[in-house]
Amino acid sequence: MSLSLLVLVFLGGLAAGLPVAVTLGLASVTYLLSAGIPLVVIPQKMYAGMDVFVLLCIPGFILAGNLMNSGGITERIIRFANALVGWMRGGLGLSNVAGSMLFGGISGTAVADAASIGGVMIPGMKKAGYPADFSAAITAASSTVGPIIPPSVPMIIVGALSGISVGKMFMAGAIPGILMGLAMMVTCYIISVRRNFPRQPWQGFQELFRSFTGAFWALAMTGLIVGGLLSGLATPTETAIIASVYAFVVGAFIYRELPLKAVPRIVIDSAISSAAILALVGFANVFGWILVAERIPQMLVDAVLSVTDNKILVILLINLLLLFVGMFMETIAALIILFVPLLALAQGVGIDPLHFAIIAVLNLMIGLTTPPVGVCLFICANIAKLPLTPVIRALVPFLLTNVMVLFLVSYIPGLATWLPSILFD
């Protein structure tokens, strides 16, 4: 009875459009009251879920991304990407993807990418003659590369949940992220040729060099993050703080586009964003504890293994489940609730934990562009001032491309595990 109420309240909250954190909290309270369990469990489990050292990376990377974005990074990255590939057919679309790949190495969140790149590129593409639905679709699709290429907030969450090295996960996401970006660029080019989208004139090597030097300090931030992790001189948490200091210095004193009076507002906005994520982590930990108490994870593992223990089929089933869940649930909540039980299932058939972590994050990133809870989809459609239907229709080729890369990474473990094995082991 208590478990049925938990599920009903949870699904009802999602259907009503309540925030996921609120939905998880209401469902958990309903379960505890119906089961006669003291509500003191809620603050205890919330604190236990948030009291994880590696989660301090989240406010650090969010602050670093916000400082760099307010300090002129978006325009410089787009200018460099445009000089690099903008001369090809559909060049602004290619620049859009390239810009997201470069920006993803700084922000670590898809939503920040969609809002920042989309706010500049979608109006620019429309003005240049690209269809509005295509402009919004490619921006939404490419924004999901951000949390795959290091740094990545979802990977930090996975590390806190499972004990998998965050540094190794950052490196494991590099090749899949680059593959996803290149695949979307190929898709964009094919569509652009077929539909005769505009192209820009080649701006010359002088502009390429000038735009690169302009974006150098922004791009170097990725090198700082990766270098700190690989050298062993800094933990992921320390790297996030170093990145924040670096972002402030570059924005305020090198680019000189970050006014000092704007810093308090940026810090407050970053704190609010971080608090929202950590509140979600806390409530999801309570919800996850209830599921464990009801032995739901073990039942899931037993149910799947009773059907098949074939590794190929289990990977397929996990992918289908996570793609479906990503359509209805926010990424971090889905990871906290499902990652640990699915990890047990994956390890039961011999899947490497690091490989599975990348599979899970890839799946849920794709979910950010699928209705009805695709946050990046909503942001880009809103910027383009379009209803969702035409944007979803234009998004289909990019979704198919991303799913193809997902299955490629799923069935070729070396795409995820080779780089960290070389760099760390």
Side-chain angles (χ1 to χ4, degrees), residues 234-252:
T235 66
T237 302
E238 291 164 345
T239 304
I241 303 306
I242 293 170
S244 296
V245 175
Y246 175 90
F248 170 73
V249 172
V250 169

Side-chain angles (χ1 to χ4, degrees), residues 76-77 79-84 206-216 219:
R76 284 175 170 82
I77 284 180
R79 180 185 174 188
F80 174 55
N82 200 31
L84 195 64
Q206 186 176 8
E207 168 60 17
L208 181 62
F209 177 75
R210 192 181 298 120
S211 63
F212 171 74
T213 54
F216 172 78
L219 301 176

Side-chain angles (χ1 to χ4, degrees), residues 116-143:
S116 301
I117 299 291
V120 176
M121 288 300 298
I122 292 176
M125 290 179 69
K126 289 169 63 179
K127 187 176 180 180
Y130 290 80
D133 56 351
F134 176 82
S135 305
I138 193 170
T139 305
S142 63
S143 69

Side-chain angles (χ1 to χ4, degrees), residues 292-378:
V292 171
E294 291 283 351
R295 300 190 74 253
I296 300 300
Q298 190 59 46
M299 290 167 59
L300 174 65
V301 173
D302 292 342
V304 173
L305 293 181
S306 67
V307 176
T308 180
D309 58 359
N310 183 285
K311 184 176 179 178
I312 294 175
L313 290 178
V314 170
I315 290 176
L316 176 62
L317 290 173
I318 289 174
N319 278 324
L320 293 176
L321 173 63
L322 288 175
L323 285 172
F324 178 76
V325 168
M327 295 172 65
F328 297 96
M329 192 179 296
E330 197 274 342
T331 302
I332 294 175
L335 282 173
I336 293 173
I337 294 170
L338 292 174
F339 184 80
V340 173
L342 290 179
L343 176 61
L345 173 60
Q347 289 182 295
V349 294
I351 301 173
D352 182 89
L354 182 61
H355 179 214
F356 176 71
I358 301 304
I359 292 173
V361 173
L362 270 171
N363 270 288
L364 295 172
M365 287 305 100
I366 293 172
L368 289 173
T369 58
T370 54
V373 193
V375 180
C376 294
L377 173 64
F378 295 152

Side-chain angles (χ1 to χ4, degrees), residues 164-165 167-169 171-172 229-231 352-355 414 416-425:
I164 300 172
S165 166
K168 286 188 176 182
M169 277 192 290
M171 294 303 101
L229 292 172
L230 295 182
S231 65
D352 182 89
L354 182 61
H355 179 214
T417 59
W418 176 76
L419 194 58
S421 70
I422 293 296
L423 297 175
F424 287 89
D425 299 336

Side-chain angles (χ1 to χ4, degrees), residues 66-88:
N66 287 342
L67 286 169
M68 290 293 277
N69 192 37
S70 299
I73 177 176
T74 305
E75 291 78 7
R76 284 175 170 82
I77 284 180
I78 290 175
R79 180 185 174 188
F80 174 55
N82 200 31
L84 195 64
V85 296
W87 53 273
M88 301 174 69

